[in-house]
Amino acid sequence: MSRAAVLCGLGGSLPERIVSNEELAEQLDTSDRWIRTRTGIGQRHVVAPGQSTSDLAVAAGAQALASARATAGQADDGADLVDPVDLVVLATSTPDRPCPATAPDVAHRLGLGHVPSFDVSAVCTGFVYALATAASMITAGIAGRALVIGADTFSTILDPADRTTRAIFGDGAGAVVLRAGDSGEPGALLGFDLGSDGSGADLITVRAGGSRQRSVPGPAAEGEEFFTMDGRPVFTRAVLDMSRSSQSLLERVGWNAAEVDKVVAHQANIRILNAVGEQLGLEEKQIVANLDRVGNTVAASIPLALRDAVAGGELQPGHRVLLTGFGGGLTWGSAALVWPELETGRPHR
Ligand code: COA
C-alpha cells in the first residue's frame, strides 16, 4: 500500500434554463433531427444573464463538500468527521475574468479560508488535468484534502449565429473531493495518462482576448472573440487520443477493457463515445452517456456524467471506472479508480 488520493465526495450544478433543440431550430438553420442524429444531444442548460462560471462552481463545490461530510459521517457529539479542505483546483476555460484566476473567489465564497487555489486550463480535458494535479499534491504531502471542480459557461463565448457550436455546448459544473488515503482503498486514484499536442491549437480556439491578439484597446476582428472549432478533425483526434490514452492507462493499471465496468468519457458526441467504445472493444453497457440531457459541458462533463450515473444507479460501489477526456490544446487524459461508497448530503449553503 502507498499514499494515494481517494475520491470521497461528488457534486454538480446546472443552470435552470434549458434550451431544447427545437428552440435552437427556431433561431438557426438546424433541426432536432440533425442535432440528435449527428451528436446525440437533445437539450443543454444555459446560464442566465449575469450568472457566471464561479456561481456554478460554488454550487457544485458545496454539493461535493456536503457529500464528503455525509460520506465520512458524524461523531457521537454530531461533529463532522472530516478535516477541512486545504486545496482548491478549478478546471475552466471560461473564467469569470481573464485575470485573476476564478478559484480563489470560489474558495472564498465557499468559506474555505486562505487555502491555496488556482485554475487549470485544458478545455474539455481540464477536469482530468485538475484531478491529476490535486492527486499529485496529495500524494506528495503538499495537501491533505482537495476540492476539484470542473466548471464552464461556453454559452457566454459562442457565436450566436454558429449553429454547430450552439448545438453542442452547454453550461454546468461538477466537483469531487479527494482525501489522503492509501492505494488499496475504494476511490483511490490508481493512475493517470496525460498528453498534449500544440500543433492542433487552432482546431479549438478563441482567437482574440489573449496576449497575441488583444480585444482591448481596439475591437477584435469581427467574430474573433467567439469560440471556434473545426469539427471534423477534432472528431477524429478525439476518438484516436481518448482510445490511445485509455489503452495505455489500462496497461499501466493492469486491467483489460472487458474488466472495466464503466467508461466515463468526455461527453462530446455520442458518435465519438461509440467510436471510442469500438476501438477499445467495449460493450454499450460499459459506456456512460448523459449528453442527451446536458450537451458538451466542457470541464464539467466528466464529473456531471459521474453524478448522473450514480444518481441513476448505473455506477455502483466496487465498479472499475475509467475516466477519459479530450479537448482543446489539443489535450487528452485518463484516470482509473474503483468506485467508492458515497453519500449525497445537503449543502450548507
Ligand atoms: N444543424 C444542421 N446542419 C449542421 C449543423 C447543425 N447544427 N452543424 C453543422 N451542420 C452542417 C454543416 O454545415 C455541413 O453542411 P455542408 O455539408 O452543407 O457544408 C454538414 O452539416 C456536415 O458538417 P460536418 O462538420 O461534416 O458534420 P459532422 O457530421 O462532422 O458533425 C460535428 C459536426 C461538429 C457535430 C462533429 O464534427 C463533431 O462532433 N466534432 C467534434 C466536436 C467536439 O467533440 N468538440 C469538442 C471536443 S472537446
Side-chain angles (χ1 to χ4, degrees):
M1 300 286 183
S2 52
R3 183 176 164 103
V6 177
L7 194 151
C8 62
L10 176 67
S13 169
L14 290 164
E16 257 172 51
R17 179 157 145 66
I18 292 174
V19 175
S20 66
N21 291 347
E22 288 80 4
E23 183 176 341
L24 278 187
E26 285 166 15
Q27 304 161 20
L28 297 162
D29 182 14
T30 188
S31 65
D32 176 54
R33 187 180 155 75
W34 192 96
I35 299 172
R36 275 184 202 276
T37 52
R38 303 310 292 163
T39 72
I41 296 166
Q43 61 175 40
R44 69 287 299 140
H45 291 247
V46 169
V47 285
Q51 195 179 18
S52 74
T53 295
S54 68
D55 298 331
L56 300 182
V58 166
Q63 248 190 34
L65 292 168
S67 156
R69 268 194 304 271
T71 300
Q74 290 191 325
D76 291 342
D77 62 1
D80 288 338
L81 282 176
V82 291
D83 295 328
V85 161
D86 57 6
L87 172 68
V88 175
V89 186
L90 170 66
T92 187
S93 306
T94 45
D96 283 12
R97 298 173 277 181
C99 170
T102 303
D105 184 33
V106 171
H108 171 69
R109 286 164 61 191
L110 285 168
L112 298 177
H114 295 175
V115 298
S117 57
F118 55 91
D119 292 0
V120 164
S121 172
V123 201
C124 298
T125 320
F127 181 75
V128 179
Y129 266 64
L131 202 63
T133 306
S136 313
M137 289 178 74
I138 287 175
T139 51
I142 298 168
R145 180 175 286 268
L147 176 61
V148 182
I149 308 172
D152 269 303
T153 50
F154 260 48
S155 70
T156 63
I157 60 168
L158 298 182
D159 178 349
D162 183 350
R163 63 181 176 175
T164 306
T165 54
R166 284 199 58 206
I168 293 173
F169 291 95
D171 302 335
V176 299
V177 178
L178 301 181
R179 63 168 171 82
D182 71 62
S183 54
E185 292 183 63
L189 289 158
L190 302 173
F192 289 93
D193 176 83
L194 304 172
S196 77
D197 174 9
S199 72
D202 285 342
L203 295 177
I204 296 173
T205 188
V206 179
R207 288 184 205 287
S211 60
R212 188 172 291 285
Q213 191 180 334
R214 289 248 171 255
S215 36
V216 186
E222 201 179 338
E224 300 219 322
E225 72 278 28
F226 293 129
F227 173 86
T228 61
M229 178 182 68
D230 195 350
R232 284 239 175 138
V234 167
F235 188 109
T236 309
R237 286 298 299 267
V239 174
L240 198 70
D241 292 322
M242 282 198 280
S243 303
R244 278 204 293 232
S245 174
S246 299
Q247 201 57 58
S248 88
L249 180 62
L250 289 178
E251 278 164 29
R252 216 171 308 155
V253 173
W255 297 348
N256 64 48
E259 289 172 327
V260 176
D261 294 291
K262 295 293 166 193
V263 174
V264 183
H266 169 54
Q267 304 285 304
N269 183 319
I270 194 68
R271 294 185 295 133
I272 293 177
L273 297 187
N274 291 340
V276 169
E278 221 167 276
Q279 294 281 320
L280 295 175
L282 301 173
E283 292 178 35
E284 206 183 318
K285 65 172 192 222
Q286 290 172 280
I287 301 170
V288 166
N290 73 338
L291 80 179
D292 57 322
R293 299 185 296 277
V294 298
N296 177 349
T297 55
V298 194
S301 151
I302 289 177
L304 281 176
L306 287 171
R307 185 188 72 150
D308 285 358
V310 169
E314 200 186 336
L315 182 53
Q316 300 279 346
H319 274 170
R320 289 178 173 200
V321 182
L322 173 71
L323 313 179
T324 188
F326 171 86
L330 302 172
T331 53
W332 55 88
S334 306
L337 73 160
V338 174
W339 194 251
E341 194 113 32
L342 290 181
E343 299 292 331
T344 46
R346 269 183 348 127
H348 280 186
R349 59 190 63 236

